[in-house]
Amino acid sequence: MSSTLAAGAGLDFTLAQQLTVIALCALTAYISHMALAVFNDGVRPFLLDFIQGRTTRSATTAVSFGLSAGFIFGLGAPMALSTGVLNPWLVFLPTDILGMLAPKKWLAPILGGAWGAVVVFGLNGANDVAHDLPVDFITAMQQMSTPILFLFTLFPVLAITKQFGRKWGGVAGGLELALVVLTMKLWPKMFAGALAMAVGVLMLIALAVAKDMKQRKADKAAGVTGIVLDDDPMASLFSASAARLRRHLPLFMVLGAGVCVLAQMHIFGGGEATSFLIAKGQYAEAAQVDFYRVFGFIPLIATTALASGAYGIAGFTLVYPIGYLMPNPFLAAIVGAVVFALEVLALSSIGKVLGKLPSVRDSSEYLRSAIGDTFGGLYLLNDAMGRPVVRMAAAPAAVIVGGILLNVLYWLDLFTPIKG
């Protein structure tokens, strides 16, 4: 796998790319102002009170800023500088805040567009300044790409371990390790973790569905049936929220088109690992990684959208992997618009299905949590499995395990050590 990142050449954008970022930031700020969608999943549940007039715009803005600032400055900006690729924390979280902050509808897109201009014109200067410092930490950050990509392969293993226990976690871990080695041996040009992640996520979903099916059979045998009340207040709220989003379907289609086009331009990555893959020009692998992430976000986004009446700026995030693979921006715009339309129209049905599969909903939570925890690597896997290795010994044990694995890879002709 190549270790050369786009960041080495700076953050230069073409005119078309600059205009796309600015226009999309203007649009997302406008949509945030209308409380129709935000990127931050934590902010979305608070929008119901704002939509129904029980809280003020300034209070909602404060919530949005409080929940987003750390991601913008602690993750979004450093990730963009180290990869040379934009990301949703840098592009969309600020427009969540600016859109909600704007007191007038016409001001929101102006503020959003201004942020887009800061991103496309300011990042390159910041990148140059960082590289000119006596201690060039940006170049050092670029070296994180390989360990991050391989650690990311662990996230389905962590999710399985937390939800279904050490036995299934161990099976998943062994299977993924074998698939990583097999991929490196047979398909060296392919991202080694892609197949392993696919199998891990499918295994998690299969275990969750099997558990739900077993529980439904047990309930049926015991004579327990679900009771649905016609006047269920949650059902009424979900119906009203879905109808609100459908009324703005054309606007959502424009949003889907814009996000898909941004992804197609290959200056944007939907996640941490994806950003490094996009920077290396591995677009098919990036599409695979972001496609697997979708399974961790559909239940969350669908349920919060139905509960609050506000959707996600990137929808179910399917437009990311689709965009990476589109041959041109015109086709990306069409496909992105269609995908968003289908997502919005299917929200009610998805909500009903999720209501019947509680373990699948739980898997989504475990998967998203695991994505965030993955970068703790073997340390967090050890914790998830009940600490078979005590914490004080975890670090040296990880070094030993890592050393053994590297030697195994060397014997398989998959790793060449650097000579001192």
Side-chain angles (χ1 to χ4, degrees):
M1 184 184 298
S2 171
S3 61
T4 303
L5 298 183
L11 287 134
D12 295 314
F13 303 99
T14 66
L15 178 61
Q17 292 168 344
Q18 292 170 346
L19 293 176
T20 298
V21 173
I22 292 171
L24 186 57
C25 285
L27 176 63
T28 54
Y30 176 78
I31 290 175
S32 171
H33 176 87
M34 300 285 287
L36 287 172
V38 290
F39 180 77
N40 193 319
D41 297 318
V43 173
R44 200 171 303 116
F46 290 93
L47 292 184
L48 180 62
D49 284 342
F50 174 73
I51 292 169
Q52 296 183 347
R54 293 194 297 268
T55 190
T56 64
R57 182 174 293 279
S58 59
T60 309
T61 301
V63 169
S64 182
F65 180 82
L67 293 176
S68 301
F71 287 100
I72 297 169
F73 301 109
L75 179 60
M79 186 65 67
L81 289 172
S82 61
T83 63
V85 175
L86 302 180
N87 58 70
W89 304 285
L90 182 67
V91 176
F92 298 140
L93 286 182
T95 60
D96 280 1
I97 300 168
L98 293 171
M100 190 55 62
L101 175 68
K104 300 293 182 180
K105 188 183 299 186
W106 59 265
L107 183 58
I110 294 177
L111 293 177
W115 174 253
V118 169
V119 169
V120 295
F121 296 117
L123 270 183
N124 199 38
N127 187 52
D128 292 340
V129 169
H131 280 295
D132 290 338
L133 291 173
V135 178
D136 182 4
F137 62 92
I138 296 298
T139 299
M141 287 174 65
Q142 293 169 14
Q143 305 308 312
M144 297 188 304
S145 60
T146 298
I148 281 179
L149 289 174
F150 279 96
L151 282 173
F152 199 72
T153 307
L154 283 175
F155 80 84
V157 179
L158 284 173
I160 290 171
T161 303
K162 289 181 178 180
Q163 187 172 9
F164 297 104
R166 289 182 290 177
K167 176 184 174 182
W168 281 114
V171 171
L175 182 59
E176 285 206 13
L177 178 60
L179 289 172
V180 167
V181 174
L182 184 68
T183 303
M184 293 175 70
K185 193 70 175 176
L186 298 181
W187 306 288
K189 293 184 179 181
M190 176 180 175
F191 169 47
L195 181 59
M197 279 188 288
V199 171
V201 171
L202 289 174
M203 185 176 173
L204 174 66
I205 295 171
L207 288 170
V209 171
K211 181 179 179 180
D212 284 334
M213 293 299 101
K214 182 179 179 180
Q215 185 60 49
R216 290 183 69 181
K217 287 182 180 179
D219 290 344
K220 187 176 181 180
V224 178
T225 58
I227 300 175
V228 180
L229 301 177
D230 292 335
D231 59 349
D232 181 358
M234 287 306 295
S236 176
L237 174 62
F238 280 16
S239 177
S241 296
R244 178 178 189 261
L245 295 176
R246 286 196 298 270
R247 285 197 300 270
H248 295 89
L249 189 61
L251 188 59
F252 282 116
M253 292 177 70
V254 175
L255 176 61
V259 177
C260 200
V261 168
L262 183 64
Q264 190 279 331
M265 289 179 165
H266 300 149
I267 59 169
F268 175 90
E272 304 90 334
T274 317
S275 293
F276 285 109
L277 288 169
I278 292 291
K280 295 179 180 185
Q282 297 177 312
Y283 309 129
E285 288 83 353
Q288 292 178 63
V289 171
D290 269 355
F291 178 73
Y292 306 142
R293 287 169 60 101
V294 169
F295 294 102
F297 287 90
I298 286 180
L300 171 71
I301 293 169
T303 52
T304 55
L306 290 170
S308 67
Y311 199 40
I313 286 295
F316 293 148
T317 70
L318 270 171
V319 288
Y320 293 164
I322 291 173
Y324 303 148
L325 300 177
M326 287 291 103
N328 60 69
F330 303 104
L331 184 58
I334 294 171
V335 174
V338 171
V339 168
F340 252 54
L342 294 175
E343 288 181 7
V344 172
L345 293 173
L347 272 175
S348 293
S349 298
I350 293 172
K352 291 177 182 177
V353 170
L354 291 174
K356 299 176 182 178
L357 298 172
S359 294
V360 174
R361 294 200 311 271
D362 292 344
S363 293
S364 168
E365 180 64 33
Y366 283 114
L367 202 58
R368 286 184 292 102
S369 174
I371 289 172
D373 289 345
T374 292
F375 303 109
L378 294 174
Y379 181 86
L380 287 172
L381 182 59
N382 179 61
D383 268 12
M385 299 191 76
R387 295 181 202 153
V389 179
V390 296
R391 279 185 170 178
M392 288 184 66
V399 173
I400 294 171
V401 171
I404 293 172
L405 289 176
L406 288 175
N407 279 284
V408 170
L409 292 175
Y410 172 74
W411 291 326
L412 292 171
D413 294 325
L414 296 175
F415 171 75
T416 302
I418 298 175
K419 300 296 182 182

